[in-house]
Amino acid sequence: MCLIWTQLRIHVIQIPTKVRAQRITQNIDGVNRLFSNVVGRGRNGGVVLDCPQRNLFGTVAKIAEIIDYKIPEGRTEEDDRDYIVTSIVLSDDVIAKAVIVNIDNDALWAKIPASLKEGVNLGSSPSNSQVQQELARRLSDKTEIYFPFNAEFANYTERWSAASAPDIAIVVVPATAQDVATTVKVANAIGVPFFAVNKGHGSTITQRNVKHGIEINMRSLANIDIAADGKSASMGGGVFVEEIIQTLDAKGKSTATGACACVGGMGPALGGGFGRYMGYYGLAADQIIDLDVVLADGSLIKVSATSNSDLYWGMRGAGHNFGIVTQFNYKIYNRPTSTWYYSLMFFTNDKLERLFELVNNLVDNGNQPKELTGYALYLMNPEISKTEPAILWSIYYSGTAAQAQPYLAPFVKLGPVIAVNDTVSYPDLFNAVGSGVDSPVCQNGGSAALFPTGLKTYNATANRAVMDLFKKMVTEQPAFNNSIVQFENYPVQKMQSIDAASTAYPHRNDNLLASWSMIYSPSAALDALVPQYGHQARALFDAGEPQRPLNTYVNYAYGDETVEQLYGYEPWRMQRLKDLKQKYDPQNRFRFYNPIEWKGMIFVAKLLPAAREFLWFAISYLFLCFAYAVTQVASAPASGSCPSELHPSYPAPSLAPGYKAQLIFRNLTKPRGIIVDGNGHLLVVQQQVGISSLSIVDQGNGCVKVSQNTSVIQNANLTHGIALSNDGKTLYASSAEAVFSWPYDSGKSTVSGTGTNVVDITHTSDGDHITRTLLMAKKQQNTLIVSRGSESNVDFNSLDLSTGHCQIKSFPVQDGKATQNFNTTGKLLGWGLRNSVGVAEHPTTGGIYSVDMGMDYATRDGKDISQNNPGDEMNYHGIIGHANDLNQGLNHGYPYCHTAWDVAAIPNHGDLVVGNQFLVGDVNDTFVANDTLNDAVCVHERAGPVLALPPHNAPIDLKFAADGSEAYISFHGSWDRNGSTGYKVSKVDFANGSPVKAPSQSKSAIIDVMSNPDVSICGQIVPYVWNKLCFRPAGLAFNKNGILFMSSDETGEIWAITKVK
């Protein structure tokens, strides 16, 4: 008989009558992963919740019989508020009706025996502390327990790949090994899954099979103690690679670990463990001396060559199947060298065949020098090409640059287009080459899926076919643009010198590891496409070595591989693993990480009594319902914190006095322009995706949360601009080449139709600055303002008004109006504006302001002045509808004239002051002063800014507070100088429609509101990939309550900024 989980509604707690059901509905929202919504009101105001149970059927049926329940004639189950009827599926072919009651009638209540009342958990609720004690009474005092409503819960459960995340109900952070064992025993007693976690980097989809489970988070068990003889170290099961390498290196020691600093120390070793010291020491698994292991039954045993030696064999290569490691002794060695040399070389993909020929020569059929590790990556690098994938070839050498040169020389001769190299310590190597804890590859919150293949040698034809597939994928699906193909070339002699039968690791004869690695923002639609591409790629790799079976590295596995592909094809090896599984985990409790399972295997765990499951959920319900319905309703969030606040993966922002900021949403794809509709939804342009609607729930005290993310428009060509008509019924958005409109329903966050082309814009396919900012004027209704920037750093086409470059224009957009051409129609508001992405209308005067980005690589009289010149600008463009406004249609100077900021750094600056326009040259010092083009012309004949802004801060949005007293600017930030700058949200005080600290000479008008605490780390390229160590502001939007929303495009987040009274 197949037991199926269903919904049975059950009265679980008592709440005072004054606490209404709708309030509880709001508070229970955060735990919908465990429970359904509130469905009714019970005795004395109690609530009825959907609860997944089976074993209460008999009790419910007896209660129904006692009270002789029938639905009154003319009423349905839906509108019956006294009793609720639901179906329970007992088996594949048996369906019965049961009744659970909201009994308000005292006479009926009195008929029900106390034993039955207890059977359905009716009665008063325990206190918060009582429930906490019930759950934690068996664990040590320092053990931490977190539920979904705890702020820490999200931090502990966030994973490297959301696509494979387990469903976690409770997090336990054990303080001791015995706490781990006890947690396992409790989970067994109540029949729920458990799942041990260190850093959360596993990406196999088998982890999804954890449903309503307990996460056993190992991070508190992170000791590292070096033995007196210096030959071993005792380490906790929660230690991770960076902690190991830094601790050992400080003592002149080293060992084999994983190749990324952010992964767990033991996790990779359980599946083998590849790293840069393999040539010296072998696999990470080969370093294990002994382990303390919690088994599936909760017992804690010692595992070594002399104690439980059969399991010692299995833990080294298939260890995820047998237990949780709480402590381990590990071989360590005297460090062979104090320095590592690395070289990162980017090649165009026409060099592919020759490059892999050189790599094969280096690998030499497994005889690669022990000091040398090589990596190749296929990746998109816009520094090389925006359309063609590039190849990154990296060499890491344990030694000096001179020692590495003979191995490096053939690749240098091949002609890389970019090369980066240096000599560093081993701990510093990880961050230097992009595998440190702060590197993008280590950040949580995205999605990833790997399809690994073990190889003996590289087949250039197969590798070219994989390159073609990679290009096809990123062309068809730009959302996969951050994906890579990895080719890992470790020195394998030491690994292969160890008897293949001595451990469970099965693939010692492989020389190489190739992995198709898909990296993307979380999306169910993209998840569905992943295996389509991954399986194609693996088939191409496998076809390159048709004589060999497919070997899959278990630590990278996608999760749909066969057990033989994961753990080896030898019959004796398979039988030995089966025997170990039946001996040490007969109930298959460790079945969530590429498990050892075969068709026909039956485990007792799948037939655990339903009563155990009931006990678990009853306890969980009591705690969760009480905490939400009583504690949360009665309390308000403290100033500066919010109940639904997320936590960034980078340092918390610095805030000006009187402000607080709340991270409210993440995992978006390059969110740019944002706007709030009439129903309070936040509409977000996601580059390469389209437009989404975030439903915002006001939690009071300046706190909000996102309750739903809805796709409004799927259009990968939309770049930035977004606006709503004055009546809110038409949505506008822009691509690089057009402005589109759709009829919009703000109540449903939906559009109709495929979009109407409103404004055509001519754009060169490889041109820069693809944003087309949109603003719907309020002073003059049905007037859409469009800003179009330059196509290069210095765009001489902007001198010709007919090109439309570097202009801001307004267009009438009444219904039925024909498509307009940006170049030839519309009213010119300003030109000579390099890239005015931020455009806003003052709410009281109607004046149009913009913020413009100064040029890069500026020179003057042969001197590079680009460090602190030219400044960015705030410009004024008059009032829409005022026909004789002399501020409209002015030339603001670009490409010749720019704003002075650091006057002392400008050669021959004469009488120039901050905010003056002056003649600037490009990197070739092209612009030379003459009678018609000089500083005087720039100062007197071009429209200067109303306010000079700091250079290279890259302002890309501008929004006024409702009363017009403040203008907020998002400074996107720039690295085109010695030291990053910007990366902040600032404000400018206004009075009477103008900046308070005008004239333009003021350098103190900018007041930082929200900034990164260390801007020097923002925008670092490691290598040529954004380092997400900072938020990076893009769009801004106010809602009617004065909350300022900010999108951070590089981190894929939405923040809410609020003034604190």
Side-chain angles (χ1 to χ4, degrees):
M1 182 173 70
C2 175
L3 296 174
I4 300 175
W5 284 71
T6 60
Q7 299 295 314
L8 172 61
R9 291 163 178 147
I10 175 170
H11 185 161
V12 290
I13 62 170
Q14 300 292 321
I15 303 296
T17 303
K18 65 180 180 180
V19 181
R20 307 302 296 172
Q22 59 266 32
R23 291 294 298 277
I24 301 168
T25 301
Q26 296 168 4
N27 291 324
I28 205 77
D29 251 1
V31 289
N32 274 346
R33 293 183 305 116
L34 284 174
F35 318 115
S36 301
N37 62 307
V38 174
V39 296
R41 181 174 54 83
R43 176 180 173 83
N44 298 326
V47 297
V48 177
L49 299 174
D50 283 66
C51 174
Q53 301 299 340
R54 296 191 302 269
N55 58 315
L56 291 181
F57 174 73
T59 300
V60 170
K62 290 178 183 178
I63 293 176
E65 183 179 352
I66 290 169
I67 65 174
D68 191 25
Y69 169 73
K70 292 183 179 65
I71 299 177
E73 188 175 350
R75 302 187 69 180
T76 66
E77 296 174 274
E78 180 65 25
D79 57 21
D80 183 17
R81 305 307 294 170
D82 296 322
Y83 312 97
I84 296 173
V85 177
T86 187
S87 297
I88 306 177
V89 180
L90 292 179
S91 68
D92 287 339
D93 55 359
V94 179
I95 299 177
K97 286 282 185 179
V99 181
I100 188 68
V101 295
N102 294 331
I103 301 174
D104 289 321
N105 185 301
D106 287 333
L108 290 179
W109 182 250
K111 290 183 178 181
I112 302 174
S115 60
L116 291 182
K117 295 175 185 177
E118 294 172 359
V120 291
N121 294 292
L122 292 166
S124 61
S125 298
S127 69
N128 189 324
S129 60
Q130 287 172 327
V131 175
Q132 187 76 25
Q133 291 169 10
E134 176 62 27
L135 290 172
R137 63 190 176 89
R138 298 178 182 272
L139 304 174
S140 67
D141 292 341
K142 293 185 179 179
T143 292
E144 301 168 22
I145 301 173
Y146 298 110
F147 291 82
F149 50 79
N150 297 127
E152 297 87 347
F153 184 87
N155 289 335
Y156 278 110
T157 55
E158 184 180 53
R159 296 185 62 82
W160 183 63
S161 176
S164 56
D167 179 15
I168 300 300
I170 290 180
V171 173
V172 175
V173 186
T176 68
Q178 190 56 53
D179 289 331
V180 177
T182 300
T183 303
V184 169
K185 290 177 181 178
V186 171
N188 289 339
I190 58 181
V192 297
F194 54 84
F195 189 67
V197 172
N198 187 351
K199 295 293 285 182
H201 275 244
S203 61
T204 173
I205 59 172
T206 60
Q207 295 168 145
R208 298 176 190 166
N209 295 327
V210 178
K211 304 297 182 184
H212 309 306
I214 301 175
E215 175 183 307
I216 303 175
N217 193 288
M218 304 294 290
R219 283 298 298 133
S220 291
L221 305 179
N223 65 291
I224 302 176
D225 301 304
I226 298 175
D229 64 5
K231 295 181 179 181
S232 66
S234 178
M235 305 185 194
V239 71
F240 67 100
V241 168
E242 183 182 65
E243 294 171 330
I244 296 173
I245 60 175
Q246 289 185 348
T247 301
L248 296 186
D249 193 77
K251 300 294 185 181
K253 299 292 183 179
S254 63
T255 193
T257 66
C260 284
C262 54
V263 301
M266 178 45 58
L270 294 177
F274 293 168
R276 299 183 187 94
Y277 271 123
M278 270 179 64
Y280 290 93
Y281 313 130
L283 296 170
D286 298 330
Q287 315 315 312
I288 297 173
I289 300 171
D290 60 54
L291 311 101
D292 293 345
V293 179
V294 174
L295 298 178
D297 62 1
S299 59
L300 179 60
I301 66 171
K302 179 73 73 175
V303 176
S304 70
T306 57
S307 178
N308 299 298
S309 59
D310 55 347
L311 188 56
Y312 181 61
W313 178 88
M315 291 297 293
R316 295 173 298 152
H320 310 92
N321 289 276
F322 303 114
I324 302 172
V325 177
T326 61
Q327 191 77 16
F328 58 100
N329 278 309
Y330 207 64
K331 298 174 186 176
I332 64 173
Y333 310 86
N334 292 329
R335 186 180 60 200
T337 178
S338 61
T339 60
W340 280 69
Y341 174 81
Y342 71 87
S343 181
L344 313 176
M345 292 170 280
F346 287 88
F347 295 89
T348 52
N349 70 56
D350 60 301
K351 304 288 180 65
L352 184 151
E353 286 76 10
R354 177 57 179 158
L355 175 65
F356 280 102
E357 180 183 355
L358 294 175
V359 175
N360 279 336
N361 292 340
L362 187 65
V363 173
D364 190 20
N365 194 30
N367 293 306
Q368 182 173 314
K370 68 178 181 180
E371 299 87 358
L372 190 147
T373 297
Y375 285 89
L377 299 178
Y378 295 168
L379 75 171
M380 297 304 297
N381 185 338
E383 296 286 324
I384 297 173
S385 172
K386 295 179 180 178
T387 58
E388 288 289 330
I391 306 174
L392 169 60
W393 168 245
S394 307
I395 283 180
Y396 315 115
Y397 189 87
S398 174
T400 66
Q403 292 169 329
Q405 287 310 307
Y407 307 107
L408 192 66
F411 299 97
V412 174
K413 185 177 180 181
L414 186 59
V417 292
I418 300 172
V420 179
N421 53 73
D422 200 358
T423 301
V424 294
S425 68
Y426 189 60
D428 289 340
L429 178 67
F430 288 78
N431 280 326
V433 302
S435 59
V437 293
D438 296 326
S439 301
V441 71
C442 279
Q443 303 313 304
N444 288 347
S447 282
L450 280 65
F451 294 81
T453 305
L455 301 171
K456 290 292 284 186
T457 188
Y458 290 127
N459 183 309
T461 302
N463 288 4
R464 172 58 70 182
V466 172
M467 170 63 78
D468 292 341
L469 178 63
F470 184 75
K471 179 181 177 181
K472 179 175 182 286
M473 180 186 71
V474 297
T475 301
E476 292 176 344
Q477 302 291 338
F480 290 132
N481 207 47
N482 289 325
S483 298
I484 57 176
V485 184
Q486 303 177 78
F487 302 84
E488 302 181 40
N489 316 280
Y490 299 99
V492 296
Q493 304 98 309
K494 181 64 175 178
M495 174 188 75
Q496 293 179 351
S497 71
I498 296 171
D499 183 4
S502 65
T503 70
Y505 180 73
H507 305 315
R508 289 186 186 269
N509 288 328
D510 290 346
N511 295 331
L512 306 163
L513 179 62
S515 302
W516 177 273
S517 306
M518 303 183 71
I519 302 167
Y520 55 102
S521 295
S523 161
L526 295 178
D527 291 342
L529 295 176
V530 163
Q532 169 188 330
Y533 291 108
H535 291 152
Q536 287 183 66
R538 191 144 62 184
L540 292 172
F541 280 128
D542 196 37
E545 291 190 331
Q547 74 282 6
R548 303 183 74 235
L550 174 62
N551 292 340
T552 297
Y553 182 41
V554 67
N555 289 341
Y556 287 9
Y558 177 61
D560 63 355
E561 297 84 355
T562 69
V563 68
E564 290 81 7
Q565 290 167 349
L566 293 167
Y567 296 108
Y569 293 86
E570 305 99 313
W572 68 266
R573 188 183 294 273
M574 292 293 96
Q575 188 59 52
R576 190 167 182 179
L577 289 171
K578 287 182 182 180
D579 293 344
L580 284 174
K581 191 68 173 172
Q582 293 290 1
K583 177 179 179 180
Y584 289 101
D585 185 16
Q587 297 180 347
N588 200 21
R589 300 295 276 153
F590 294 103
R591 63 183 183 275
F592 304 114
Y593 194 93
N594 299 320
I596 298 172
E597 289 183 329
W598 290 268
K599 185 176 180 180
M601 292 186 75
I602 299 175
F603 294 95
V604 179
K606 295 179 179 177
L607 304 176
L608 285 173
R612 294 179 180 179
E613 294 169 349
F614 159 68
L615 175 60
W616 166 249
F617 280 98
I619 294 174
S620 297
Y621 264 136
L622 289 170
F623 185 94
L624 292 166
C625 294
F626 185 80
Y628 267 86
V630 181
T631 308
Q632 296 270 357
V633 169
S635 64
S639 177
S641 63
C642 294
S644 300
E645 186 171 3
L646 304 174
H647 299 280
S649 60
Y650 44 85
S654 299
L655 295 166
Y659 288 89
K660 73 176 180 182
Q662 177 193 0
L663 178 59
I664 64 170
F665 204 72
R666 54 163 60 112
N667 297 330
L668 296 169
T669 300
K670 289 198 171 182
R672 296 282 294 193
I674 57 177
I675 193 170
V676 178
D677 71 11
N679 282 71
H681 303 118
L682 184 68
L683 302 181
V684 184
V685 176
Q686 296 186 71
Q687 288 187 354
Q688 303 176 356
V689 176
I691 297 177
S692 296
S693 170
L694 304 183
S695 299
I696 305 297
V697 177
D698 194 324
Q699 297 179 300
N701 197 35
C703 295
V704 296
K705 73 171 183 177
V706 175
S707 63
Q708 188 172 0
N709 176 17
T710 304
S711 176
V712 179
I713 296 170
Q714 294 184 358
N715 185 334
N717 294 319
L718 300 184
T719 57
H720 181 91
I722 187 169
L724 284 165
S725 59
N726 299 112
D727 62 6
K729 295 181 179 180
T730 303
L731 177 62
Y732 296 88
S734 62
S735 69
E737 299 177 341
V739 178
F740 303 97
S741 69
W742 296 263
Y744 178 66
D745 183 340
S746 63
K748 300 177 180 178
S749 288
T750 58
V751 298
S752 54
T754 58
T756 301
N757 192 337
V758 177
V759 180
D760 271 333
I761 303 170
T762 304
H763 174 65
T764 304
S765 61
D766 61 349
D768 293 336
H769 301 151
I770 59 174
T771 56
R772 307 289 181 253
T773 300
L774 306 180
L775 172 68
M776 185 63 65
K778 295 182 180 179
K779 200 78 170 177
Q780 181 166 303
Q781 301 271 301
N782 300 315
T783 300
L784 183 67
I785 298 170
V786 184
S787 176
R788 190 244 199 269
S790 68
E791 290 206 347
S792 59
N793 184 40
V794 180
D795 187 348
F796 290 109
N797 287 326
S798 65
L799 297 169
D800 181 357
L801 281 174
S802 68
T803 66
H805 291 199
C806 307
Q807 298 174 19
I808 300 176
K809 286 187 169 185
S810 65
F811 299 85
V813 287
Q814 294 88 348
D815 289 343
K817 190 169 182 64
T819 301
Q820 302 169 77
N821 184 279
F822 187 90
N823 297 2
T824 59
T825 62
K827 181 175 179 58
L828 183 67
L829 301 183
W831 63 294
L833 297 158
R834 180 173 175 268
N835 193 28
S836 293
V837 185
V839 183
E841 180 181 28
H842 193 274
T844 59
T845 67
I848 303 299
Y849 285 86
S850 71
V851 284
D852 192 45
M853 302 181 203
M855 69 177 285
D856 300 318
Y857 315 120
T859 64
R860 168 92 163 195
D861 296 343
K863 180 183 177 182
D864 181 358
I865 61 169
S866 62
Q867 178 70 4
N868 290 311
N869 283 295
D872 295 336
E873 303 173 352
M874 177 183 283
N875 292 302
Y876 181 64
H877 309 290
I879 300 173
I880 297 289
H882 287 203
N884 299 318
D885 193 325
L886 298 179
N887 292 294
Q888 291 183 7
L890 298 179
N891 181 351
H892 291 263
Y894 178 84
Y896 296 126
C897 301
H898 296 261
T899 294
W901 181 262
D902 184 359
V903 175
I906 301 172
N908 303 313
H909 55 76
D911 296 330
L912 291 175
V913 296
V914 174
N916 280 167
Q917 298 271 58
F918 73 107
L919 182 65
V920 176
D922 63 6
V923 69
N924 298 313
D925 212 26
T926 300
F927 317 143
V928 179
N930 54 47
D931 290 341
T932 59
L933 187 62
N934 50 52
D935 288 350
V937 171
C938 291
V939 171
H940 300 295
E941 299 181 21
R942 300 292 183 267
V946 295
L947 195 64
L949 304 177
H952 303 299
N953 276 231
I956 64 168
D957 207 354
L958 174 68
K959 290 293 186 292
F960 284 99
D963 62 1
S965 64
E966 298 165 320
Y968 289 81
I969 304 170
S970 62
F971 287 110
H972 198 227
S974 173
W975 67 98
D976 288 333
R977 66 189 300 275
N978 182 17
S980 300
T981 185
Y983 300 88
K984 61 186 179 181
V985 175
S986 305
K987 72 169 185 173
V988 175
D989 289 332
F990 267 64
N992 302 317
S994 298
V996 170
K997 295 205 174 179
S1000 63
Q1001 289 88 347
S1002 173
K1003 278 191 172 184
S1004 58
I1006 299 296
I1007 303 168
D1008 293 343
V1009 172
M1010 175 178 171
S1011 57
N1012 286 284
D1014 183 4
V1015 74
S1016 68
I1017 65 174
C1018 301
Q1020 292 180 6
I1021 301 175
V1022 190
Y1024 294 89
V1025 177
W1026 278 106
N1027 188 345
K1028 297 178 182 179
L1029 297 178
C1030 305
F1031 69 88
R1032 196 176 194 205
L1036 299 174
F1038 277 103
N1039 73 358
K1040 63 182 181 181
N1041 296 326
I1043 296 175
L1044 179 63
F1045 297 101
M1046 178 267 286
S1047 64
S1048 171
D1049 57 358
E1050 293 298 339
T1051 58
E1053 297 169 333
I1054 302 294
W1055 284 82
I1057 306 171
T1058 312
K1059 281 192 171 182
V1060 179
K1061 295 181 181 180

